Amino acid sequence: MRVEILGCSGGIGGNALRTTSLLVDHDILIDAGTGVNDLPLPALAAIDHVFITHAHLDHITCLPFMLDSVGDMRNTPLTMHATQATQDIIRKHIFNWQIWPDFSEIPSPENPFLRFNTIEVGKSLVIDERSITALPANHTVPAVGYQLQDLRSNASLVFSGDTTSCDPLWEMVNAIADLRYLIIEAAFPDSERELAILSKHFCPSLLLEELVKLKSAPDIFVTHAKPGLFGQIERELRQGVGDRNIRMLTAESVFEF
């Protein structure tokens, strides 16, 4: 399994700042933030599945544009996988014929560009020997993270999505025997700890408190830093990291396992 980070910033601005999206091999996206914009049309057309963590714009922005750009280049619908709660939000507020056309009805309901698949926390979907499992998350809207597991190599990557303290997440993560990588968020520096709490994100001190619950020792990468705060968040993590192997995630990073 190959996972390329297309975007991992909490905002935009400058060529390096793109919002959240992970490309799994050539045909699966985890979220569809502005990082997707860099893919050429043939690569966009090759994506068959998009797994959404939650409905905030920085995680779904490019999904409507993808469908508009390459829907007619495909022979089958693109499948958006999300919880029912997240589907309901996206269908009501995005694909509603007011903000954007409903591509689940275009060019016809029988042969659309988009179809929806409902996922549930704890249940896995296997696509060509790759298992994707929704994990619990705790955010201001219904949200999940994902475990990506290559069934051939028996190795896993966990992506938390946007979350704050979430004991059910750690219960599931600690049950993963083959966890190699953990990508988890820290959106704000400690000087904005109260804002992090209010918006249900982590700052370095909150994240380090939470990582005490992690029983294994994967490589840890921190994502979703707000623009202009990357360096401050990185410094604060280094000061309190202890024995953990924690690094800041950057766009164009690649994980192979």
Side-chain angles (χ1 to χ4, degrees), residues 64-227:
F65 295 119
M66 282 177 56
L67 293 163
D68 192 43
S69 294
V70 301
D72 60 354
M73 297 171 59
R74 296 175 47 81
N75 296 320
T76 59
L78 181 148
T79 302
M80 190 197 90
H81 305 268
T83 63
Q84 189 62 60
T86 296
Q87 281 184 52
D88 291 345
I89 294 169
I90 291 174
R91 297 187 79 157
K92 179 179 179 181
H93 296 290
I94 303 295
F95 298 113
N96 58 10
W97 293 107
Q98 296 173 317
I99 298 298
W100 206 249
D102 183 353
F103 280 100
S104 67
E105 298 182 359
I106 295 174
S108 71
E110 296 75 28
N111 185 33
F113 289 167
L114 172 68
R115 73 179 185 92
F116 298 93
N117 180 56
T118 303
I119 61 171
E120 297 180 23
V121 169
K123 293 190 176 181
S124 301
L125 179 64
V126 176
I127 303 171
D128 297 332
E129 297 190 84
R130 299 161 299 178
S131 175
I132 301 177
T133 306
L135 303 175
N138 178 15
H139 197 38
T140 56
V141 294
V144 297
Y146 288 107
Q147 175 193 358
L148 311 179
Q149 182 183 34
D150 190 306
L151 299 177
R152 297 155 295 192
S153 64
N154 293 317
S156 288
L157 178 153
V158 163
F159 171 53
S160 72
D162 287 9
T163 191
T164 186
S165 179
C166 184
D167 287 345
L169 169 64
W170 299 113
E171 290 173 11
M172 291 190 66
V173 169
N174 286 331
I176 300 172
D178 58 2
L179 182 61
R180 189 172 299 179
Y181 303 110
L182 170 63
I183 299 175
I184 192 164
E185 68 122 288
F188 298 99
D190 283 340
S191 60
E192 298 186 22
R193 181 183 170 106
E194 292 306 313
L195 178 56
I197 293 171
L198 178 65
S199 58
K200 292 194 172 182
H201 285 288
F202 283 128
C203 61
S205 59
L206 289 172
L207 176 57
L208 293 171
E209 291 168 12
E210 197 73 0
L211 287 174
V212 173
K213 303 171 185 176
L214 177 62
K215 296 180 180 179
S216 58
D219 291 340
I220 301 172
F221 292 83
V222 175
T223 186
H224 210 276
K226 296 295 183 182

Side-chain angles (χ1 to χ4, degrees), residues 37-58:
N37 183 61
D38 292 336
L39 294 177
L41 286 174
L44 290 174
I47 294 167
D48 294 324
H49 304 273
V50 180
F51 287 79
I52 299 296
T53 59
H54 65 291
H56 281 162
L57 278 176
D58 56 328

Side-chain angles (χ1 to χ4, degrees), residues 223-239:
T223 186
H224 210 276
K226 296 295 183 182
L229 300 175
F230 185 101
Q232 184 176 351
I233 291 170
E234 183 177 32
R235 287 191 297 273
E236 291 173 354
L237 284 168
R238 285 178 175 174
Q239 290 170 2

